[in-house]
Amino acid sequence: MPQEELSDLQRQVLELKRQRNALILAHNYQRYEVQQIADFVGDSLQLARKSAEVSGFDMIVFAGVKFMAEMTAILAEGTPVYIPSREALCPLAGWIGPAKVRAAKERHPGAPVVVYVNTTAATKAECDAICTSSNAVEVVESLGAETVLFGPDKNLAEYVRRQTGVKVIDIEPLGHCYVHQQFKLEHIERMRALHPDAIVIAHPECPPEVQGAADIIGSTGKMVKIVAEPPEKKFIIATEVGLVEQLQHAHPDKVILPAYEGAVCRQMKKTTLEGILRVLRDLPPENLVTVPDEVKDRVREVINAMNALHSAAESAVVAAGK
Ligand code: 13P
Ligand code: SF4
């Protein structure tokens, strides 16, 4: 995060964080004032990988939605993980549960199941592999199957279908993220007309016609990387506005515009500085993130397999000298 003046409340949080020997992890969609006091800010894959490396802290505060905090609780086992708002539940994760996954398996016996990380731990325990928006294509390709069951996001499924040629069957054909579903082709066309020199980047949770109108499709982590690279100076971003704000602060020399200002994830915004201060101060047992023992080991396995696939892909890129 760039060096900026901090508020009294932010200073209090940082002091308590120091006293508690706590680590604060935050997703790219968090309020900017929360991102500023976090030790690490990233996309869901980067946060999962970071969680697997945690050591030497007495607690973790996870500023994000519950499914992400669950992954951290599984990977950083031994370090208690607190979520500041128990209401920070991703509605996309509600589109499929274990029963829907089992029913899809019965309809398509033998087809491997890939679920998006935006699912509960109980749903992940039913699948063969999990993916994030930054590695969905690689995960599906790694299975070498002609047909794959995929969910819960229909737009990410369509992206994977187009990129891989694999027969991707939706576990829930209506599953979507209400934030990204709001992006319309007209938003992109209007912004392009106003800023013809801008690069348009869209998240793969956006509808296919929005993805089709973008120059680049990628996860929030990919967006951060692309915007940081020279020489381009102007970007139109089709994802949740928290990332746009982060990018505007990080690159005051560049023009970074939201494709649609109404794209606000209400669940991500439930985490506040006050909420973080409260969990650091009171350690409320109801805010401790727990994952049922019966699914923990299986979920750890699929998350580790996903993280390992990503590391292998990175090593291959380094080996190729890119
Ligand atoms: P990223 O993995 O791109 O951060 O996306 C997470 C998410 O919740 C998108 O809405
Ligand atoms: Fe869930 Fe959409 Fe919010 Fe991401 S932006 S956490 S997918 S509701």
Side-chain angles (χ1 to χ4, degrees):
M1 287 289 117
Q3 289 300 309
E4 286 163 319
E5 189 71 15
L6 297 183
S7 67
D8 286 348
L9 186 53
Q10 285 176 310
R11 281 182 219 285
Q12 280 178 48
V13 170
L14 289 176
E15 177 51 25
L16 209 46
K17 176 172 97 74
R18 192 190 60 74
Q19 287 173 21
R20 288 284 190 202
N21 188 29
L23 177 76
I24 302 183
L25 301 177
H27 186 264
N28 285 321
Y29 296 159
Q30 287 294 294
R31 295 165 185 272
Y32 186 64
E33 64 265 27
V34 169
Q35 296 191 26
Q36 279 181 302
I37 51 88
D39 295 289
F40 182 82
V41 181
D43 71 12
S44 41
L45 180 62
Q46 291 164 334
L47 287 163
R49 297 183 77 205
K50 192 79 192 165
S51 303
E53 293 165 4
V54 169
S55 78
F57 291 93
D58 293 331
M59 66 181 284
I60 298 171
V61 178
F62 196 96
V65 284
K66 191 176 169 202
F67 77 82
M68 297 178 179
E70 278 184 345
M71 291 207 293
T72 298
I74 291 170
L75 294 170
E77 206 174 19
T79 310
V81 177
Y82 286 85
I83 188 159
S85 168
R86 292 164 67 211
E87 288 157 21
L89 301 170
C90 167
L92 173 57
W95 276 99
I96 59 170
K100 255 190 200 171
V101 176
R102 283 195 291 267
K105 284 199 250 191
E106 273 169 31
R107 285 196 303 275
H108 304 278
V113 179
V114 180
V115 301
Y116 194 26
V117 284
N118 299 45
T119 43
T120 64
T123 306
K124 287 185 181 77
E126 292 291 331
C127 71
D128 297 289
I130 64 166
C131 69
T132 73
S133 57
S134 60
N135 63 10
V137 168
E138 288 85 340
V139 168
V140 167
E141 280 177 341
S142 75
L143 297 170
E146 276 175 27
T147 305
V148 164
L149 302 177
F150 191 96
D153 191 79
K154 61 175 181 174
N155 297 329
L156 182 63
E158 177 60 16
Y159 173 69
V160 173
R161 206 172 279 130
R162 287 182 186 181
Q163 296 288 314
T164 61
V166 171
K167 186 173 177 204
V168 178
I169 299 175
D170 288 305
I171 295 169
E172 166 50 67
L174 298 177
H176 66 273
C177 157
Y178 76 97
V179 180
H180 289 87
Q181 195 63 30
Q182 298 177 81
F183 287 99
K184 305 265 177 293
L185 184 56
E186 300 88 90
H187 295 139
I188 308 295
E189 287 172 348
R190 193 175 63 226
M191 290 301 281
R192 267 210 201 273
L194 290 169
H195 309 278
D197 50 339
I199 310 268
V200 179
I201 320 179
H203 197 277
E205 286 176 16
C206 292
E209 61 279 14
V210 172
Q211 294 183 32
D215 299 306
I216 301 171
I217 301 165
S219 67
T220 60
K222 184 169 173 180
M223 291 178 181
V224 170
K225 209 162 156 246
I226 288 167
V227 170
E229 279 167 7
E232 268 77 20
K233 290 253 181 242
K234 204 167 189 183
F235 299 89
I236 295 165
I237 306 287
T239 195
E240 210 272 347
V241 293
L243 179 70
V244 179
E245 192 178 350
Q246 176 203 122
L247 292 172
Q248 286 166 339
H249 281 275
H251 304 286
D253 58 322
K254 302 190 180 191
V255 179
I256 298 145
L257 304 159
Y260 168 57
E261 281 179 9
V264 179
C265 176
R266 294 190 294 276
Q267 291 69 26
M268 283 281 183
K269 300 315 190 229
K270 291 209 185 269
T271 304
T272 58
L273 288 172
E274 289 82 357
I276 295 176
L277 190 75
R278 193 179 71 87
V279 291
L280 283 168
R281 188 188 57 218
D282 303 340
L283 308 180
E286 65 275 17
N287 291 73
L288 186 64
V289 181
T290 55
V291 178
D293 282 339
E294 58 275 19
V295 297
K296 213 182 242 175
D297 290 345
R298 175 66 192 138
V299 179
R300 188 182 299 106
E301 234 173 80
V302 285
I303 303 174
N304 282 335
M306 172 185 77
N307 284 350
L309 187 73
H310 186 79
S311 306
E314 257 182 8
S315 319
V317 171
V318 173
K322 291 188 186 155

